[in-house]
Amino acid sequence: MRYPEGGGLTAERRAFREGIRLQAGEGFAAGEKTVVIAKELRVSVRSVERWRRAWREGGMTALRSAGPANSPTVTDEQFAVLEEELGKGPSAHGFEDERWTLARVQAVIRRRLRVSLSVATVWRLLKRHGWSWQAPARRALERDEHAVEVEEGGVAAGKSLAAASGAWIVFEDEAGFSMTPPRARTWGRRGQTPVIRVRGRSRRRTSVAALCCYKPGEKSRLIHRPRTHLRLKGARKSFSWKDYRDLLVRAHIQLDGPIVVVWDNLNTHLAAGLKRYEAEHDWLTTVRLPPYAPDLNPVEAVWSLARRAMANTAFDTPDDLDRTLRRELRRIQLRPHLIDGCLTATGLAINPPTPP
């Protein structure tokens, strides 16, 4: 490697070149001609002439290395200031969209730190401090960050209740899957975009309601219930409150214990019939997530795992979709560590109750 990270020659390379110049200086002192010295050292005549002029003005000292070049750098203290500026977002610095590019970061460094760096140096600087090129996550403007940070929308209370009563804490969510698969990157010949042929007129969808179940000392569980959209006039295309009730009853039987259900503010979850059923059964307690906070629900990560495994899959019939979906959910069911990882992705933790 000619140049190390940060630019300039390595210490070994500087010492090697200094040795060549000192050999040339000895030839100057001996009265040798420029052409002879250039041939012996295998360097250009122009370089030897430049060294000779420096030798005449400063002697052998002028031929010694002056050390590494003083290229502009950003110290750790300056980078802390830069991170604070980048944390304000691109719009705070006059850019139209929320997208940091190397050129924009370069402009902020020049404007705030008064340091001029190349784009390549900016890339190395960000890489060295743990920054990377990422796709941002979307978050609703209506989300109450204070409610999420302080109380986690009642999730903390639900965890405390589950720990005190020895119940399972259960997160619920639902999602729809269509015949058109999600796209994922794949290798292909340059200039020829890979093509996946799908059913163009199929509107068939399958909805799935799933429960991620956690309890200290027990293996994590995944329980799900599919619902196929019937193409009939007047047929319901979503889960009713009775479907959710049946799913919770099924979870209560499989888990063999009381459950604390954490779910969002879907209007079906707030149905009067479901509230009445909860009041009549002491094994069931429901807790609501704060509005617009899907990142606190581990079931969202389950959907990501399923869709990632189904990416670029061309479904020929609705039965193919149902079969693949059941297989992927079954694969997650048989791997409790994946379900635990979905909980870890939310930042929440299910801690065992502390003894009195």
Side-chain angles (χ1 to χ4, degrees):
M1 181 177 64
R2 183 180 181 185
Y3 296 111
E5 185 174 354
L9 296 172
T10 62
E12 294 78 7
R13 195 64 182 173
R14 286 197 301 272
F16 174 75
R17 294 194 175 189
E18 182 186 51
I20 293 179
R21 292 194 298 271
L22 293 178
Q23 292 180 35
E26 295 174 357
F28 300 152
E32 296 181 3
K33 295 183 179 180
T34 300
V35 177
V36 175
I37 295 175
K39 185 175 182 180
E40 291 179 352
L41 300 179
R42 296 184 179 182
V43 296
S44 66
V45 174
R46 182 173 298 181
S47 296
V48 177
E49 292 175 348
R50 186 173 66 252
W51 297 342
R52 186 183 289 276
R53 286 194 300 268
W55 176 77
R56 288 172 180 171
E57 296 175 1
M60 297 295 286
T61 304
L63 299 179
R64 295 191 177 276
S65 175
N70 294 324
S71 58
T73 58
V74 174
T75 63
D76 293 341
E77 292 77 10
Q78 289 177 315
F79 190 82
V81 177
L82 176 62
E83 278 194 310
E84 184 178 353
E85 294 295 331
L86 297 181
K88 297 177 182 178
S91 58
H93 294 274
F95 301 109
E96 295 181 356
D97 54 60
E98 296 296 320
R99 185 169 58 98
W100 280 120
T101 63
L102 292 177
R104 292 181 177 183
V105 177
Q106 180 189 40
V108 173
I109 293 175
R110 186 184 305 112
R111 190 183 310 149
R112 297 296 188 219
L113 304 182
R114 305 298 181 184
V115 177
S116 180
L117 300 179
S118 66
V119 172
T121 305
V122 172
W123 179 86
R124 287 192 294 266
L125 175 68
L126 295 177
K127 197 78 172 178
R128 187 163 58 250
H129 287 83
W131 286 62
S132 61
W133 181 257
Q134 305 177 32
R138 291 190 178 94
R139 184 160 292 177
L141 292 173
E142 299 85 353
R143 174 184 169 112
D144 187 356
E145 295 291 347
H146 180 73
V148 173
E149 293 178 1
V150 176
E151 297 188 8
E152 297 175 353
V155 179
K159 292 194 298 181
S160 300
L161 178 62
S165 61
W168 288 77
I169 183 165
V170 176
F171 294 86
E172 190 278 337
D173 193 46
E174 55 284 324
F177 296 84
S178 67
M179 293 282 292
T180 303
R183 291 183 297 176
R185 294 180 180 271
T186 182
W187 285 100
R189 184 179 293 276
R190 183 175 299 176
Q192 298 179 6
T193 303
V195 176
I196 302 174
R197 301 192 178 276
V198 299
R199 292 287 181 180
R201 296 184 178 181
S202 176
R203 297 183 179 179
R204 169 70 181 275
R205 289 175 60 86
T206 297
S207 295
V208 181
L211 305 173
C212 282
C213 313
Y214 304 95
K215 184 179 180 180
E218 301 285 347
K219 288 185 178 180
S220 301
R221 306 279 292 276
L222 174 65
I223 302 174
H224 61 87
R225 183 187 185 93
R227 179 184 178 86
T228 302
H229 294 188
L230 300 177
R231 300 184 62 180
L232 300 176
K233 187 175 182 180
R236 186 182 179 92
K237 296 183 178 180
S238 60
F239 288 93
S240 65
W241 73 267
K242 294 182 179 180
D243 294 326
Y244 290 115
R245 178 202 61 189
D246 296 341
L247 177 61
L248 296 180
V249 171
R250 176 181 173 185
H252 172 58
I253 296 174
Q254 291 190 18
L255 300 176
D256 192 22
I259 60 176
V260 176
V261 182
V262 181
W263 52 18
D264 55 24
N265 295 279
L266 185 69
N267 56 357
T268 313
H269 296 162
L270 307 177
L274 199 56
K275 290 184 177 180
R276 185 168 55 252
Y277 184 83
E278 177 187 356
E280 295 173 353
H281 297 79
D282 56 359
W283 57 265
L284 176 61
T285 305
T286 60
V287 178
R288 291 195 297 272
L289 286 167
Y292 304 99
D295 53 305
L296 295 180
N297 196 334
V299 187
E300 294 285 349
V302 172
W303 304 141
S304 297
L305 291 174
R307 289 192 171 96
R308 187 184 309 168
M310 298 167 60
N312 295 357
T313 303
F315 301 111
D316 187 45
T317 63
D319 291 337
D320 291 339
L321 170 63
D322 295 341
R323 189 182 308 108
T324 303
L325 182 58
R326 287 195 302 268
R327 184 185 67 243
E328 295 305 326
L329 292 177
R330 180 59 177 170
R331 182 181 64 87
I332 300 174
Q333 281 181 322
L334 296 176
R335 292 166 175 80
H337 67 277
L338 292 180
I339 308 174
D340 293 334
C342 295
L343 179 66
T344 303
T346 65
L348 303 174
I350 308 299
N351 301 319
T354 56

